[in-house]
Amino acid sequence: MVGMSAPHVIRGSVSLPEAELMWRFSRSSGPGGQHVNTSDSQVELRFDLAATKSLPDVWKQRALERLAGRLVDGVLTVRASEHRSQWRNREAAAVRLAALLAEATAPPPKPRRPTRIPRGINERRLREKKQRAETKRGRTGRDW
């Protein structure tokens, strides 16, 4: 945990303090040779979303609703084991958690205002359609 005390920025001035993150390490599967049997390189990062004080209440509610399927008792878990070193897996997990929370706390998109199709476009479409029908009608072999 030395050097990882920098807060992980979600968006703007809101960031996750290191004190609210719970780290767990275990042996990772995959490449690594003999070293993989002795090092705990897989990282599991847990963040208690339901009890956090670092997020504004509006963001927290939004994230709880959007991430409901991923939460276990209000705790969000992210795993990383793609790198051989624990340090890089820690960085990957922290970045993934920050990105997940940034997406979950983003404001909803503005509702779409329905617009009418201009009359000229509709008339042109019908005119071209009639012309195409005439072309095809002219291909029938009645004159033979």
Side-chain angles (χ1 to χ4, degrees), residues 117-132:
I117 299 171
R119 199 167 83 214
I121 288 177
N122 218 7
E123 287 173 356
R124 185 179 68 200
R125 180 182 63 86
L126 292 172
R127 196 169 50 246
E128 287 171 359
K129 203 170 166 179
K130 276 188 183 135
Q131 191 152 9
R132 185 89 181 125

mmCIF file of all heavy atoms in Angstrom, residues 117-132:
data_model
loop_
_atom_site.group_PDB
_atom_site.id
_atom_site.type_symbol
_atom_site.label_atom_id
_atom_site.label_comp_id
_atom_site.label_asym_id
_atom_site.label_seq_id
_atom_site.Cartn_x
_atom_site.Cartn_y
_atom_site.Cartn_z
ATOM 1 N N ILE A 117 -40.651 15.732 -39.768
ATOM 2 C CA ILE A 117 -39.946 15.624 -41.040
ATOM 3 C C ILE A 117 -40.438 16.768 -41.918
ATOM 4 O O ILE A 117 -41.651 16.948 -42.075
ATOM 5 C CB ILE A 117 -40.242 14.270 -41.713
ATOM 6 C CG1 ILE A 117 -39.756 13.138 -40.818
ATOM 7 C CG2 ILE A 117 -39.591 14.190 -43.083
ATOM 8 C CD1 ILE A 117 -40.177 11.769 -41.279
ATOM 9 N N PRO A 118 -39.539 17.560 -42.490
ATOM 10 C CA PRO A 118 -39.972 18.673 -43.341
ATOM 11 C C PRO A 118 -40.803 18.176 -44.533
ATOM 12 O O PRO A 118 -40.555 17.097 -45.076
ATOM 13 C CB PRO A 118 -38.656 19.289 -43.824
ATOM 14 C CG PRO A 118 -37.639 18.849 -42.841
ATOM 15 C CD PRO A 118 -38.087 17.532 -42.319
ATOM 16 N N ARG A 119 -41.792 18.973 -44.908
ATOM 17 C CA ARG A 119 -42.710 18.575 -45.983
ATOM 18 C C ARG A 119 -41.973 18.357 -47.296
ATOM 19 O O ARG A 119 -42.280 17.440 -48.051
ATOM 20 C CB ARG A 119 -43.803 19.637 -46.152
ATOM 21 C CG ARG A 119 -45.006 19.084 -46.894
ATOM 22 C CD ARG A 119 -46.188 19.997 -46.796
ATOM 23 N NE ARG A 119 -46.088 21.045 -47.811
ATOM 24 C CZ ARG A 119 -46.513 22.286 -47.650
ATOM 25 N NH1 ARG A 119 -47.060 22.658 -46.515
ATOM 26 N NH2 ARG A 119 -46.373 23.184 -48.601
ATOM 27 N N GLY A 120 -40.983 19.195 -47.572
ATOM 28 C CA GLY A 120 -40.240 19.087 -48.829
ATOM 29 C C GLY A 120 -39.537 17.739 -48.966
ATOM 30 O O GLY A 120 -39.502 17.151 -50.048
ATOM 31 N N ILE A 121 -38.986 17.228 -47.874
ATOM 32 C CA ILE A 121 -38.278 15.946 -47.910
ATOM 33 C C ILE A 121 -39.260 14.822 -48.199
ATOM 34 O O ILE A 121 -38.997 13.921 -49.004
ATOM 35 C CB ILE A 121 -37.537 15.715 -46.571
ATOM 36 C CG1 ILE A 121 -36.342 16.669 -46.494
ATOM 37 C CG2 ILE A 121 -37.076 14.273 -46.436
ATOM 38 C CD1 ILE A 121 -35.575 16.605 -45.204
ATOM 39 N N ASN A 122 -40.417 14.878 -47.549
ATOM 40 C CA ASN A 122 -41.437 13.850 -47.760
ATOM 41 C C ASN A 122 -41.940 13.867 -49.207
ATOM 42 O O ASN A 122 -42.094 12.813 -49.839
ATOM 43 C CB ASN A 122 -42.597 14.087 -46.795
ATOM 44 C CG ASN A 122 -43.173 12.806 -46.260
ATOM 45 O OD1 ASN A 122 -42.637 11.732 -46.499
ATOM 46 N ND2 ASN A 122 -44.277 12.917 -45.549
ATOM 47 N N GLU A 123 -42.181 15.084 -49.740
ATOM 48 C CA GLU A 123 -42.655 15.199 -51.126
ATOM 49 C C GLU A 123 -41.614 14.676 -52.104
ATOM 50 O O GLU A 123 -41.948 14.000 -53.082
ATOM 51 C CB GLU A 123 -43.012 16.659 -51.442
ATOM 52 C CG GLU A 123 -44.293 17.115 -50.773
ATOM 53 C CD GLU A 123 -44.566 18.603 -50.943
ATOM 54 O OE1 GLU A 123 -43.709 19.312 -51.519
ATOM 55 O OE2 GLU A 123 -45.622 19.053 -50.482
ATOM 56 N N ARG A 124 -40.343 14.988 -51.862
ATOM 57 C CA ARG A 124 -39.276 14.529 -52.746
ATOM 58 C C ARG A 124 -39.183 12.999 -52.722
ATOM 59 O O ARG A 124 -39.020 12.366 -53.759
ATOM 60 C CB ARG A 124 -37.939 15.131 -52.301
ATOM 61 C CG ARG A 124 -36.794 14.789 -53.257
ATOM 62 C CD ARG A 124 -35.495 15.397 -52.825
ATOM 63 N NE ARG A 124 -35.046 14.762 -51.591
ATOM 64 C CZ ARG A 124 -34.166 15.295 -50.744
ATOM 65 N NH1 ARG A 124 -33.663 16.484 -50.975
ATOM 66 N NH2 ARG A 124 -33.812 14.650 -49.647
ATOM 67 N N ARG A 125 -39.334 12.410 -51.534
ATOM 68 C CA ARG A 125 -39.294 10.945 -51.417
ATOM 69 C C ARG A 125 -40.422 10.313 -52.231
ATOM 70 O O ARG A 125 -40.201 9.358 -52.990
ATOM 71 C CB ARG A 125 -39.427 10.552 -49.942
ATOM 72 C CG ARG A 125 -39.387 9.051 -49.701
ATOM 73 C CD ARG A 125 -39.574 8.730 -48.241
ATOM 74 N NE ARG A 125 -40.863 9.133 -47.730
ATOM 75 C CZ ARG A 125 -41.980 8.399 -47.802
ATOM 76 N NH1 ARG A 125 -41.967 7.228 -48.397
ATOM 77 N NH2 ARG A 125 -43.114 8.836 -47.295
ATOM 78 N N LEU A 126 -41.625 10.871 -52.127
ATOM 79 C CA LEU A 126 -42.768 10.315 -52.872
ATOM 80 C C LEU A 126 -42.597 10.500 -54.378
ATOM 81 O O LEU A 126 -42.950 9.616 -55.170
ATOM 82 C CB LEU A 126 -44.073 10.964 -52.396
ATOM 83 C CG LEU A 126 -44.487 10.614 -50.970
ATOM 84 C CD1 LEU A 126 -45.670 11.450 -50.535
ATOM 85 C CD2 LEU A 126 -44.805 9.139 -50.853
ATOM 86 N N ARG A 127 -42.022 11.662 -54.757
ATOM 87 C CA ARG A 127 -41.796 11.928 -56.184
ATOM 88 C C ARG A 127 -40.790 10.913 -56.756
ATOM 89 O O ARG A 127 -41.013 10.346 -57.833
ATOM 90 C CB ARG A 127 -41.273 13.360 -56.356
ATOM 91 C CG ARG A 127 -41.352 13.888 -57.765
ATOM 92 C CD ARG A 127 -41.084 15.382 -57.881
ATOM 93 N NE ARG A 127 -39.859 15.806 -57.191
ATOM 94 C CZ ARG A 127 -39.854 16.607 -56.118
ATOM 95 N NH1 ARG A 127 -40.989 17.065 -55.602
ATOM 96 N NH2 ARG A 127 -38.713 16.954 -55.549
ATOM 97 N N GLU A 128 -39.705 10.670 -56.030
ATOM 98 C CA GLU A 128 -38.699 9.708 -56.490
ATOM 99 C C GLU A 128 -39.261 8.297 -56.526
ATOM 100 O O GLU A 128 -38.924 7.494 -57.394
ATOM 101 C CB GLU A 128 -37.463 9.763 -55.580
ATOM 102 C CG GLU A 128 -36.635 11.021 -55.795
ATOM 103 C CD GLU A 128 -35.541 11.194 -54.751
ATOM 104 O OE1 GLU A 128 -35.436 10.342 -53.842
ATOM 105 O OE2 GLU A 128 -34.793 12.182 -54.848
ATOM 106 N N LYS A 129 -40.143 8.003 -55.593
ATOM 107 C CA LYS A 129 -40.769 6.679 -55.535
ATOM 108 C C LYS A 129 -41.648 6.452 -56.769
ATOM 109 O O LYS A 129 -41.637 5.368 -57.366
ATOM 110 C CB LYS A 129 -41.616 6.618 -54.253
ATOM 111 C CG LYS A 129 -41.894 5.239 -53.744
ATOM 112 C CD LYS A 129 -42.520 5.343 -52.375
ATOM 113 C CE LYS A 129 -43.110 3.998 -52.004
ATOM 114 N NZ LYS A 129 -43.719 3.978 -50.697
ATOM 115 N N LYS A 130 -42.410 7.494 -57.131
ATOM 116 C CA LYS A 130 -43.273 7.387 -58.323
ATOM 117 C C LYS A 130 -42.438 7.212 -59.587
ATOM 118 O O LYS A 130 -42.782 6.435 -60.478
ATOM 119 C CB LYS A 130 -44.149 8.643 -58.450
ATOM 120 C CG LYS A 130 -45.405 8.574 -57.610
ATOM 121 C CD LYS A 130 -46.328 9.730 -57.921
ATOM 122 C CE LYS A 130 -47.540 9.639 -56.994
ATOM 123 N NZ LYS A 130 -47.884 10.916 -56.423
ATOM 124 N N GLN A 131 -41.349 7.954 -59.657
ATOM 125 C CA GLN A 131 -40.482 7.874 -60.822
ATOM 126 C C GLN A 131 -39.868 6.480 -60.963
ATOM 127 O O GLN A 131 -39.791 5.928 -62.062
ATOM 128 C CB GLN A 131 -39.379 8.927 -60.732
ATOM 129 C CG GLN A 131 -38.607 9.075 -62.010
ATOM 130 C CD GLN A 131 -38.052 10.476 -62.163
ATOM 131 O OE1 GLN A 131 -38.115 11.281 -61.238
ATOM 132 N NE2 GLN A 131 -37.528 10.777 -63.326
ATOM 133 N N ARG A 132 -39.476 5.900 -59.847
ATOM 134 C CA ARG A 132 -38.899 4.556 -59.842
ATOM 135 C C ARG A 132 -39.947 3.535 -60.301
ATOM 136 O O ARG A 132 -39.639 2.620 -61.061
ATOM 137 C CB ARG A 132 -38.416 4.232 -58.415
ATOM 138 C CG ARG A 132 -37.708 2.928 -58.303
ATOM 139 C CD ARG A 132 -36.220 3.105 -58.570
ATOM 140 N NE ARG A 132 -35.530 1.832 -58.484
ATOM 141 C CZ ARG A 132 -34.772 1.334 -59.431
ATOM 142 N NH1 ARG A 132 -34.579 1.988 -60.549
ATOM 143 N NH2 ARG A 132 -34.174 0.186 -59.270
#
